[in-house]
Amino acid sequence: RFIPHINNNHDFSEMLSEMLGELNASHTGAFARGSDDKDDRTACLGLFYDETHDKSGLLIKEVMDKGPFDKNKSKVTAGVIIEKIDGIEISPDINFYKLLNRKVDQNTLFALHDPATGKRWEETIKPISQGSENELRYQRWVKNCRAMVEKLSGGKVGYVHVRGMNDRSYRTVYEDVLGKNHGKDALIVDTRFNGGGWLHDDLATFLSGKQYMTFMPRGQKLGNEPQFKWTKPSMVVMSESNYSDAHMFPYTYRALGIGK
């Protein structure tokens, strides 16, 4: 029943993946081939929009950190409306994404309006790729999760996200846990949306440190051993989006009795 509505390889591969999912078999999926120069490549602006806005233009709800509009020279903030892209007005019945087709890293003109002040002006920026915006979204998500844990725990609990089961992610976890979270009383290890790799044992070993020594020369505490493992309580967060070794790690964590 989906076939009549599918007109591209990406949607077709998504449907195939859903079918394969019914088999409940590990490591199966379908993927579309890479794009060529004839395909659409929609650029992004690093913005969140107010989806309830039903008038002309795009009402900006949030400007992402390090996005194209997050510049000192830009006056764009939440509440500003994008009225035109390269001179074309954004009416309620237009799909504005087509105005960003093949505009990645290309100078693009935006006509802007601030309803709060009534001022109108223009800015030229270079839109970014979907991959680059996805990275901004990921960093924003991690930042918000960390802030949530900080607020709800009164600063006592640390937070770290394990992005992949690989060396690069392990180095990030290692740096964050023993760096910014060194003084925390406990740690939340978030493994959601992790695509896998081969890190379950290394990560479990890192989180299962047992303190066996304290350095106290002349009554002055200078540190503990082990210095390069987490020795305090921790808890793992997972979801159905954990894949492969990211699915195996929570099992390892629980089997070894490291935490909940």
Side-chain angles (χ1 to χ4, degrees), residues 159-160 172-184 187 189 206-207 229-230:
Y159 170 88
V160 66
T172 298
V173 170
Y174 187 89
E175 179 181 0
D176 285 353
V177 171
L178 298 182
K180 65 184 64 174
N181 293 311
H182 175 73
K184 302 295 186 181
L187 182 70
V189 183
F206 174 67
L207 294 170
K229 291 182 180 180
W230 180 257

Short mmCIF file of all heavy atoms in Angstrom, two decimals, residues 159-160 172-184 187 189 206-207 229-230:
data_model
loop_
_atom_site.label_atom_id
_atom_site.label_comp_id
_atom_site.label_asym_id
_atom_site.label_seq_id
_atom_site.Cartn_x
_atom_site.Cartn_y
_atom_site.Cartn_z
N TYR A 159 26.73 14.21 33.64
CA TYR A 159 26.08 13.61 32.47
C TYR A 159 27.08 13.47 31.35
O TYR A 159 27.90 14.36 31.10
CB TYR A 159 24.91 14.48 32.00
CG TYR A 159 24.33 14.06 30.66
CD1 TYR A 159 23.32 13.11 30.59
CD2 TYR A 159 24.82 14.60 29.48
CE1 TYR A 159 22.79 12.71 29.37
CE2 TYR A 159 24.31 14.20 28.25
CZ TYR A 159 23.29 13.26 28.20
OH TYR A 159 22.79 12.86 26.99
N VAL A 160 27.02 12.34 30.66
CA VAL A 160 27.85 12.15 29.48
C VAL A 160 27.07 11.30 28.48
O VAL A 160 26.32 10.40 28.87
CB VAL A 160 29.19 11.47 29.83
CG1 VAL A 160 28.98 10.06 30.34
CG2 VAL A 160 30.14 11.48 28.65
N THR A 172 36.08 11.01 24.17
CA THR A 172 35.19 12.08 24.62
C THR A 172 34.61 11.76 26.00
O THR A 172 34.56 12.63 26.89
CB THR A 172 34.05 12.29 23.61
OG1 THR A 172 34.61 12.68 22.35
CG2 THR A 172 33.08 13.37 24.09
N VAL A 173 34.15 10.52 26.18
CA VAL A 173 33.61 10.10 27.47
C VAL A 173 34.68 10.21 28.55
O VAL A 173 34.43 10.74 29.65
CB VAL A 173 33.08 8.64 27.38
CG1 VAL A 173 32.74 8.11 28.77
CG2 VAL A 173 31.86 8.58 26.47
N TYR A 174 35.85 9.73 28.25
CA TYR A 174 36.97 9.76 29.20
C TYR A 174 37.28 11.20 29.63
O TYR A 174 37.44 11.49 30.82
CB TYR A 174 38.19 9.13 28.53
CG TYR A 174 39.39 8.93 29.43
CD1 TYR A 174 39.55 7.75 30.17
CD2 TYR A 174 40.38 9.90 29.53
CE1 TYR A 174 40.65 7.56 30.98
CE2 TYR A 174 41.49 9.71 30.34
CZ TYR A 174 41.62 8.55 31.06
OH TYR A 174 42.72 8.36 31.87
N GLU A 175 37.33 12.09 28.64
CA GLU A 175 37.64 13.49 28.93
C GLU A 175 36.54 14.16 29.75
O GLU A 175 36.82 14.88 30.71
CB GLU A 175 37.84 14.25 27.62
CG GLU A 175 38.15 15.72 27.79
CD GLU A 175 38.31 16.44 26.47
OE1 GLU A 175 38.18 15.79 25.42
OE2 GLU A 175 38.56 17.65 26.48
N ASP A 176 35.28 13.92 29.37
CA ASP A 176 34.16 14.56 30.06
C ASP A 176 33.99 14.03 31.49
O ASP A 176 33.72 14.79 32.42
CB ASP A 176 32.86 14.36 29.29
CG ASP A 176 32.78 15.24 28.05
OD1 ASP A 176 33.67 16.10 27.89
OD2 ASP A 176 31.84 15.07 27.26
N VAL A 177 34.12 12.71 31.64
CA VAL A 177 33.89 12.10 32.96
C VAL A 177 34.98 12.51 33.94
O VAL A 177 34.69 12.93 35.08
CB VAL A 177 33.83 10.56 32.84
CG1 VAL A 177 33.81 9.93 34.23
CG2 VAL A 177 32.59 10.15 32.06
N LEU A 178 36.24 12.41 33.54
CA LEU A 178 37.33 12.74 34.45
C LEU A 178 37.69 14.22 34.43
O LEU A 178 38.51 14.67 35.22
CB LEU A 178 38.58 11.90 34.09
CG LEU A 178 38.40 10.39 34.21
CD1 LEU A 178 39.71 9.68 33.89
CD2 LEU A 178 37.91 10.00 35.60
N GLY A 179 37.04 14.97 33.55
CA GLY A 179 37.26 16.40 33.48
C GLY A 179 36.15 17.17 34.16
O GLY A 179 36.14 17.36 35.38
N LYS A 180 35.16 17.59 33.38
CA LYS A 180 34.08 18.44 33.92
C LYS A 180 33.23 17.73 34.96
O LYS A 180 32.58 18.38 35.78
CB LYS A 180 33.21 18.95 32.77
CG LYS A 180 32.45 17.88 32.03
CD LYS A 180 31.67 18.46 30.84
CE LYS A 180 32.59 19.04 29.79
NZ LYS A 180 31.89 19.48 28.58
N ASN A 181 33.20 16.39 34.96
CA ASN A 181 32.38 15.64 35.92
C ASN A 181 33.20 15.04 37.06
O ASN A 181 32.66 14.27 37.87
CB ASN A 181 31.62 14.52 35.20
CG ASN A 181 30.57 15.04 34.25
OD1 ASN A 181 29.77 15.90 34.60
ND2 ASN A 181 30.60 14.55 33.01
N HIS A 182 34.47 15.40 37.15
CA HIS A 182 35.36 14.80 38.14
C HIS A 182 34.84 14.97 39.57
O HIS A 182 34.92 14.06 40.38
CB HIS A 182 36.76 15.41 38.03
CG HIS A 182 37.71 14.94 39.08
ND1 HIS A 182 38.24 13.66 39.06
CD2 HIS A 182 38.21 15.55 40.18
CE1 HIS A 182 39.03 13.51 40.10
NE2 HIS A 182 39.05 14.64 40.81
N GLY A 183 34.28 16.13 39.88
CA GLY A 183 33.84 16.41 41.25
C GLY A 183 32.41 16.02 41.54
O GLY A 183 31.92 16.25 42.66
N LYS A 184 31.71 15.41 40.58
CA LYS A 184 30.32 15.02 40.80
C LYS A 184 30.23 13.79 41.71
O LYS A 184 31.14 12.99 41.80
CB LYS A 184 29.64 14.71 39.46
CG LYS A 184 29.67 15.86 38.46
CD LYS A 184 28.87 17.06 38.92
CE LYS A 184 28.81 18.12 37.84
NZ LYS A 184 28.05 19.33 38.28
N LEU A 187 27.03 9.74 38.21
CA LEU A 187 27.13 9.97 36.77
C LEU A 187 26.00 9.26 36.02
O LEU A 187 25.69 8.11 36.30
CB LEU A 187 28.48 9.45 36.26
CG LEU A 187 28.81 9.62 34.79
CD1 LEU A 187 29.05 11.09 34.47
CD2 LEU A 187 30.04 8.79 34.41
N VAL A 189 25.17 7.91 32.37
CA VAL A 189 25.81 7.56 31.10
C VAL A 189 24.70 7.28 30.09
O VAL A 189 24.02 6.27 30.15
CB VAL A 189 26.71 6.31 31.27
CG1 VAL A 189 27.42 6.00 29.95
CG2 VAL A 189 27.72 6.55 32.39
N PHE A 206 35.98 0.97 32.53
CA PHE A 206 36.19 2.36 32.93
C PHE A 206 35.22 2.78 34.03
O PHE A 206 35.58 3.54 34.94
CB PHE A 206 36.04 3.27 31.70
CG PHE A 206 36.09 4.72 32.01
CD1 PHE A 206 37.26 5.33 32.48
CD2 PHE A 206 34.96 5.52 31.85
CE1 PHE A 206 37.30 6.68 32.76
CE2 PHE A 206 35.00 6.87 32.15
CZ PHE A 206 36.17 7.45 32.60
N LEU A 207 33.99 2.30 33.96
CA LEU A 207 32.95 2.72 34.91
C LEU A 207 32.93 1.87 36.18
O LEU A 207 32.17 2.17 37.11
CB LEU A 207 31.58 2.66 34.24
CG LEU A 207 31.36 3.65 33.10
CD1 LEU A 207 30.06 3.33 32.36
CD2 LEU A 207 31.34 5.08 33.60
N LYS A 229 39.84 5.81 36.31
CA LYS A 229 38.56 5.12 36.20
C LYS A 229 37.53 5.89 37.02
O LYS A 229 37.88 6.64 37.94
CB LYS A 229 38.66 3.68 36.73
CG LYS A 229 39.51 2.75 35.90
CD LYS A 229 39.49 1.35 36.51
CE LYS A 229 40.33 0.38 35.72
NZ LYS A 229 40.31 -0.98 36.33
N TRP A 230 36.27 5.69 36.70
CA TRP A 230 35.18 6.28 37.49
C TRP A 230 34.88 5.34 38.65
O TRP A 230 34.55 4.17 38.44
CB TRP A 230 33.94 6.49 36.63
CG TRP A 230 32.79 7.08 37.39
CD1 TRP A 230 31.68 6.44 37.85
CD2 TRP A 230 32.63 8.46 37.77
NE1 TRP A 230 30.84 7.31 38.50
CE2 TRP A 230 31.40 8.56 38.47
CE3 TRP A 230 33.41 9.60 37.61
CZ2 TRP A 230 30.94 9.76 38.99
CZ3 TRP A 230 32.95 10.80 38.13
CH2 TRP A 230 31.73 10.88 38.80
#
